[in-house]
Amino acid sequence: MHPPPPLIAHVIHRLDYGGLENGLVNLINRMPPERYRHAILCLTDYNPEFRRRIQRPDVEVFALHKREGHDLGLYRRCWAQLRQWRPAIVHTRGLATLEMQLPAWLAGAPARVHGEHGWDAQAGSEPRRRQWLRRLGNPLVNHYIALSAELAAYLENVVGVSPTRVTQIINGVDSERFHPGQDRSPLPPGFAPPGTLIIGTVGRLEKVKDHSNLVRAFIRLVESVPEARQRLRLVIIGEGSLRTEIESLLNEAGLRDLAWLPGARDDVPELLRTMDVFVLPSQAEGISNTILEAMACSLPVVATEVGGNAELVVEGETGRRVPASDPQALAAAMRELIDDPKRMSAYGAAGRRRVEERFSMAAMAAAYLQVYDAVLKTSLAL
């Protein structure tokens, strides 16, 4: 009887709707089951609906229910669960989980990987306390995975990680689930009459995603475009603490009826296919899953010049890049596209080709397998 495949314990803050979490689920679903088993350890909790996206029945999801503030008992609970699972590899994801490298080491995990997925603030402005936290965790991590070149450079130049211990892996996108084709049926009846152009985005309604910037740009756009009330609509998919602010901006401008904010949704591919232009207004990013998904749906993209966006959006080929927190520049880029349907179509087609050529799920899964195999082989040789 053959022994079971090695177990990877993925440690995340919470399993819920989000780019990091979606990337993890896609990876688990795409990795060959005979190579590795998987378990997910959530520092806080998990969303049962999102958890159902995991297609493999053998994946255990366990919540540590972290308390508000500094929960010292979290380290013991993490250690105890890892001792019970005895994973071959512990893979922490995001700065919020880096501290769990210590209980992973104490629990005897042979190989330890840490993934850097993005920023809560603009690169270069990270508080010194977080820099020191990364440096303290450095000796415990066998290998790092960075989603963008910017994150990889930060680890090497600021944290002091050797380049030989850093691998950049960009998330893949499911180009079968996210495919071209326009269908307005998911929208509320009467919201988008024939001939309407829909500007849309997907993401958590939190400060770093800066949807307020998009709303301010949309207001400027409506003010400058003839018959804008008949021609333009705004769709913002996601939920978060800035919903009230976003709705207030729209109400004050008298444009609430031109916007649809349905909250977090499971039917993102279908909703992307209702859009004509995709906008990512973030103040900071690692590698945006939603940009890749929009490109896979043949949408032209307008994104802020932050993080790994330049690695995805080719200026003047698949979309436009603009400065962060600049609603005037964002409005101008959106205006340029909606005034030129041929350019919108060309950018969208080029984006789809770029996804098919460079950002496949198979390539992502193969890259992670290579890292896991290497760190496990090295740890067993010690």
Side-chain angles (χ1 to χ4, degrees):
M1 184 175 179
H2 294 291
L7 175 66
I8 303 173
H10 303 272
V11 184
I12 63 174
H13 181 69
R14 175 181 169 84
L15 186 64
D16 206 342
Y17 297 96
L20 181 157
E21 298 80 6
N22 196 51
L24 170 58
V25 170
N26 285 336
L27 177 63
I28 290 174
N29 290 341
R30 293 287 176 146
M31 287 187 69
E34 68 276 9
R35 297 289 298 279
Y36 288 98
R37 293 175 295 132
H38 302 270
I40 300 176
L41 188 58
C42 307
L43 299 191
T44 55
D45 207 344
Y46 61 90
N47 182 325
E49 291 185 8
F50 189 82
R51 191 235 182 280
R52 283 194 283 271
R53 291 189 178 188
I54 301 172
Q55 296 168 3
R56 289 179 55 169
D58 62 334
V59 178
E60 183 178 355
V61 179
F62 189 87
L64 294 175
H65 302 292
K66 179 182 181 298
R67 301 178 183 89
E68 290 293 330
H70 202 66
D71 181 3
L72 292 177
L74 181 69
Y75 298 88
R76 179 188 58 79
R77 299 196 299 276
C78 179
W79 171 85
Q81 189 58 41
L82 292 176
R83 286 288 292 176
Q84 179 180 327
W85 281 344
R86 295 195 175 277
I89 301 171
V90 172
H91 185 166
T92 55
R93 294 168 177 264
L95 181 62
T97 67
L98 179 58
E99 293 172 80
M100 296 304 106
Q101 288 282 336
L102 178 59
W105 175 69
L106 292 172
R112 297 172 302 280
V113 176
H114 181 68
E116 288 292 351
H117 292 251
W119 307 93
D120 292 327
Q122 292 184 357
S125 63
E126 185 173 57
R128 192 168 296 274
R129 179 182 62 83
R130 294 186 180 183
Q131 293 179 13
W132 278 109
L133 176 60
R134 294 183 195 277
R135 289 168 183 157
L136 287 171
N138 186 10
L140 297 171
V141 179
N142 299 122
H143 202 85
Y144 288 84
I145 294 175
L147 264 67
S148 71
E150 180 186 59
L151 286 165
Y154 188 85
L155 288 171
E156 295 168 15
N157 300 328
V158 177
V159 182
V161 180
S162 167
T164 60
R165 293 171 53 221
V166 181
T167 299
Q168 184 191 352
I169 303 177
I170 295 179
N171 280 341
V173 60
D174 188 340
S175 56
E176 295 180 3
R177 183 168 177 243
F178 293 90
H179 61 78
Q182 192 169 78
D183 178 8
R184 296 283 171 87
S185 61
L187 298 173
F191 173 70
T196 304
L197 289 172
I198 293 183
I199 295 165
T201 192
V202 180
R204 295 174 291 113
L205 306 187
E206 303 296 342
K207 182 179 178 182
V208 69
K209 299 301 183 181
D210 206 6
H211 291 94
S212 300
N213 179 34
L214 172 57
V215 172
R216 291 186 176 96
F218 182 74
I219 293 169
R220 287 175 178 263
L221 190 63
V222 170
E223 291 171 349
S224 67
V225 173
E227 300 181 346
R229 282 191 165 275
Q230 289 72 44
R231 293 182 58 196
L232 300 179
R233 296 293 184 270
L234 178 65
V235 172
I236 300 177
I237 310 299
E239 194 55 81
S241 62
L242 292 186
R243 170 180 279 273
T244 300
E245 177 182 320
I246 291 167
E247 292 184 330
S248 295
L249 287 170
L250 290 165
N251 285 327
E252 290 168 8
L255 300 180
R256 185 63 182 86
D257 60 319
L258 303 188
W260 185 48
L261 285 74
R265 299 277 294 239
D266 277 323
D267 55 344
V268 171
E270 292 77 12
L271 291 169
L272 283 172
R273 288 190 285 272
T274 69
M275 301 175 188
D276 297 286
V277 178
F278 181 84
V279 180
L280 192 81
S282 305
Q283 295 176 356
E285 281 290 342
I287 287 289
S288 169
N289 287 334
T290 53
I291 284 182
L292 289 171
E293 292 164 357
M295 289 166 59
C297 292
S298 286
L299 292 177
V301 175
V302 179
T304 45
E305 190 79 64
V306 298
N309 289 352
E311 298 176 56
L312 306 182
V313 181
V314 180
E315 174 67 31
E317 182 179 327
T318 68
R320 291 292 320 279
R321 300 197 305 267
V322 299
S325 305
D326 188 340
Q328 184 173 348
L330 186 55
M334 293 190 296
R335 176 71 186 269
E336 177 184 301
L337 286 177
I338 66 172
D339 283 347
D340 192 344
K342 289 184 178 180
R343 182 178 298 189
M344 282 199 299
S345 178
Y347 284 1
R352 173 70 186 187
R353 288 195 301 270
R354 185 166 169 79
V355 162
E356 291 173 339
E357 293 169 0
R358 298 194 55 183
F359 304 115
S360 70
M361 285 286 199
M364 175 191 72
Y368 273 95
L369 275 172
Q370 188 173 13
V371 170
Y372 292 148
D373 288 348
V375 296
L376 188 56
K377 181 180 179 179
T378 301
S379 68
L380 294 176
L382 297 177

